[in-house]
Amino acid sequence: MKTFRVPPNRWLFVRAETNDGIVGWGESTLEGHTEAIEGAFNDLWRFIGVEADNIVDIWQVFALDSLRGPVLMSALSGLDIALWDIKGKRHGIPVWKLLGGKIRDRIKVYGWIGGDQPSDVLDAAKNRKAEGFTCVKMNATDIVARIDSPEVLRGTVERVQQLQSVGLDVGIDFHGRFHKGMAKQLAKLLEPLHPLFIEEPLLPTQPEEIADISHLVSTPIALGERLYTCFDFRPYLERRVIDIAQPDVSHCRGITELHRIA
Ligand SMILES: [Mg+2]
């Protein structure tokens, strides 16, 4: 097993090779924290020499023996994905077939356009449109104060209107940057514009408060890139809080757990 950093050190890929020469690739990217993941891999080298076909056994030994957090779980994700890749190649079957087969031939995608620098958003959106995208996603704001000026809220609304005026659908990522007071206000102001979704209205340390916002507006609520297990998703599903689950396969302990979450 070997890890590979991809400049500018945002991405981390994992290569695992079996004795008989089958190579699998996985991804352990943790939004720029590549050195932390490399450190975590020092704990995963102990699996060198085990039977690569026993994915769930390897997964359980590491997952159940580790404290659960983004670093260790992202490392495990990369190994898990690489092991599924190896299994598919060994049997000559794509992983999606091993998991039960195809459901659709095409999916709708959005283009990310940033948003931390509000002045750049419209140009970025026009570029995405030229590339053929019909939807874009942006951060609602840069960092905001606990209770900031209403101007911040108006700025976000104006940007969404600008993007819609060039014919694009828009998803808004609050990125957990707002505190509850302003998150409520902004969700209300955005509701009449029909954004595709609001992502992470608050940080997922606050399932009850996120539930309040979810029940306050009709806008679909998306969340999940900071949740690592099916158990982490449970409170949101039980409270009917999220409309779009967003597990990140590079954080949520790989394809094995992603399938359980789904
Ligand atoms: Mg996000």
Side-chain angles (χ1 to χ4, degrees):
M1 293 195 284
K2 196 168 187 285
T3 57
F4 294 84
R5 278 191 210 179
V6 178
N9 282 351
R10 180 176 171 89
W11 298 282
L12 193 86
F13 293 92
V14 185
R15 182 186 189 276
E17 184 171 354
T18 63
N19 285 344
D20 51 352
I22 300 177
V23 172
W25 284 92
E27 183 177 356
S28 287
T29 298
L30 183 60
E31 279 76 11
H33 300 286
T34 46
E35 288 173 332
I37 303 296
E38 286 169 341
F41 262 92
N42 288 328
D43 210 17
L44 281 161
W45 302 141
R46 62 177 144 139
F47 293 111
I48 292 173
V50 303
E51 170 54 57
D53 218 31
N54 297 339
I55 299 175
V56 176
D57 186 33
I58 294 168
W59 188 99
Q60 285 190 348
V61 167
F62 190 77
L64 305 182
D65 188 39
S66 303
L67 296 182
R68 183 177 55 74
V71 174
L72 292 173
M73 297 304 100
S74 296
L76 175 59
S77 297
L79 175 60
D80 181 86
I81 297 166
L83 291 174
W84 277 101
D85 192 21
I86 287 170
K87 186 183 284 289
K89 285 170 177 166
R90 180 178 300 288
H91 297 285
I93 301 172
V95 172
W96 54 267
K97 279 193 180 173
L98 292 173
L99 295 174
K102 196 177 351 183
I103 293 172
R104 51 180 69 82
D105 293 309
R106 293 161 62 86
I107 56 168
K108 194 170 178 178
V109 297
Y110 61 71
W112 171 247
I113 55 166
D116 288 354
Q117 299 301 323
S119 52
D120 301 339
V121 160
L122 188 58
D123 283 343
K126 285 176 178 166
N127 289 338
R128 286 303 195 192
K129 193 175 181 193
E131 290 167 351
F133 287 92
T134 59
C135 319
V136 291
K137 184 175 96 174
M138 65 168 188
N139 281 337
T141 60
D142 200 348
I143 302 299
V144 290
R146 180 170 287 270
I147 296 293
D148 214 321
S149 163
E151 203 51 45
V152 171
L153 306 177
R154 281 195 285 272
T156 304
V157 169
E158 277 167 23
R159 283 194 292 286
V160 172
Q161 287 170 327
Q162 279 180 344
L163 303 182
Q164 290 176 334
S165 74
V166 296
L168 288 162
D169 289 330
V170 187
I172 315 285
D173 193 349
F174 282 22
H175 212 63
R177 287 177 176 172
F178 292 94
H179 294 275
K180 185 182 168 195
M182 292 197 75
K184 282 191 300 181
Q185 287 183 302
L186 186 55
K188 271 285 192 194
L189 286 172
L190 290 172
E191 185 180 21
L193 302 179
H194 303 294
L196 292 173
F197 54 83
I198 290 173
E199 179 172 325
E200 288 192 323
L202 300 171
L203 287 175
T205 49
Q206 297 182 279
E208 300 289 352
E209 290 81 356
I210 293 172
D212 290 343
I213 293 174
S214 174
H215 300 145
L216 185 73
V217 293
S218 61
T219 311
I221 301 296
L223 183 143
E225 69 189 14
R226 296 184 224 216
L227 304 178
Y228 311 113
T229 69
C230 55
F231 308 107
D232 289 346
F233 275 91
R234 183 173 174 167
Y236 297 97
L237 300 175
E238 283 181 341
R239 290 170 177 78
R240 298 162 178 79
V241 170
I242 54 174
D243 303 288
I244 302 164
Q246 297 177 302
D248 185 323
V249 71
S250 297
H251 304 333
C252 76
R253 317 198 284 187
I255 291 169
T256 299
E257 186 75 358
L258 183 78
H259 201 224
R260 291 188 187 121
I261 293 167

